[in-house]
Amino acid sequence: MPDEHRLEEKFLSQEAERRISEKLDDAEKIEIDVQTDLLKIVQGQADRVSVVGQGLVIQEDIRVQEIQLQTDSISINPFSALLGQIELNEPVNTIARIILTETDINRTLASDFVSSQMQNFDLDVDGKIVSFEAQKIEIFLPGDGKIECKGRVLLKERGNTRPLAYTAIARTRTSSQPAMLESFNCTEGGGISIELVTALMQKAKEFMNIPYFKWEDMVFHIKDITVEIGSLILMVETQVRQIPSSSILPSS
């Protein structure tokens, strides 16, 4: 009997791997393990789904070095499961460990996809609106919990537009201290006023305190960030609606 159960698990796991692989531009490794049996499938249940992936590429420029993901128990559509597709009857919570390299992060930041998602933003500085239009951003990971950012924006202030380049170093939050900005230096554009710096710091604080992020029909909550030399490690709680699904992975 255990062997029969394992055969069903292998069938679902292999089919899920195939469906996700079809949505990826490239993958060095993708392994999915569905833990269930025929009786649970008929009842619309599965104990858990775990995913291990390496070198996953989406939309040509978005790459993840490594991901390890595991769900809690899930409620599935039994008819779809018997046909080899896992369809969730209700959202499921997952825990994911994601590793991003410095090279992959900058490759993603320079992609057309991210450029199209970048939003310009306005700041109220002493009753006057100052606008920022992002042009370029690069991330460097020197380790020791630090993230260095170099970027360039167009600053629109009092009817004038000028380029502004900057370098900033931030330290990620830990269990004992919040995220902190260690330095901010203007390298092009003549600098900015103290009032504008204060408004920028407030905006950055609001961003870092966002409780969760949403993308498509997924909700992400970053629980922990570790910065090593050349790589960023994220522990993320995620709520997903389908495994696998075209709504999870952008179409190529």
Side-chain angles (χ1 to χ4, degrees), residues 63-248:
R63 184 180 185 276
V64 175
Q65 174 64 27
E66 182 178 328
I67 182 170
Q68 297 177 7
L69 179 150
Q70 181 173 310
T71 74
D72 52 18
S73 60
I74 61 178
S75 174
I76 59 177
N77 183 323
F79 300 104
S80 297
L82 289 171
L83 295 175
Q85 181 174 358
I86 305 172
E87 290 185 358
L88 302 181
N89 287 332
E90 56 188 48
V92 61
N93 296 320
T94 71
I95 297 292
R97 181 178 185 266
I98 302 171
I99 300 179
L100 304 171
T101 68
E102 181 179 288
T103 299
D104 291 339
I105 292 172
N106 288 316
R107 175 182 172 182
T108 299
L109 289 173
S111 69
D112 292 337
F113 174 75
V114 170
S115 296
S116 67
Q117 299 298 313
M118 279 189 176
Q119 296 182 349
N120 303 332
F121 65 92
D122 298 333
L123 291 179
D124 186 332
V125 183
D126 291 340
K128 297 180 180 179
I129 300 300
V130 178
S131 299
F132 290 82
E133 180 181 328
Q135 290 193 310
K136 182 180 179 181
I137 183 171
E138 288 184 283
I139 297 294
F140 301 91
L141 304 172
D144 193 28
K146 295 181 180 181
I147 299 176
E148 182 178 353
C149 175
K150 293 183 179 180
R152 192 173 188 271
V153 300
L154 286 181
L155 180 63
K156 301 178 182 180
E157 183 180 20
R158 298 188 181 93
N160 297 317
T161 300
R162 61 186 174 95
L164 177 71
Y166 64 88
T167 299
I169 297 178
R171 186 178 290 275
T172 58
R173 69 175 183 266
T174 66
S175 57
S176 60
Q177 69 178 28
M180 301 180 66
L181 183 67
E182 287 196 349
S183 66
F184 183 91
N185 298 307
C186 294
T187 58
E188 177 189 346
I192 56 179
S193 66
I194 293 176
E195 292 79 11
L196 183 51
V197 170
T198 302
L200 275 171
M201 294 305 98
Q202 180 60 37
K203 187 74 173 180
K205 180 180 179 181
E206 292 174 4
F207 179 77
M208 288 187 290
N209 288 332
I210 293 175
Y212 61 85
F213 299 90
K214 293 185 69 176
W215 179 55
E216 297 285 337
D217 58 354
M218 302 181 70
V219 178
F220 300 87
H221 181 199
I222 298 176
K223 300 292 291 182
D224 185 57
I225 302 175
T226 302
V227 182
E228 297 182 350
I229 297 176
S231 63
L232 190 68
I233 303 172
L234 306 175
M235 292 298 296
V236 181
E237 285 185 353
T238 312
Q239 187 183 75
V240 298
R241 297 184 180 276
Q242 289 300 333
I243 304 175
S245 169
S246 59
S247 63
I248 294 177

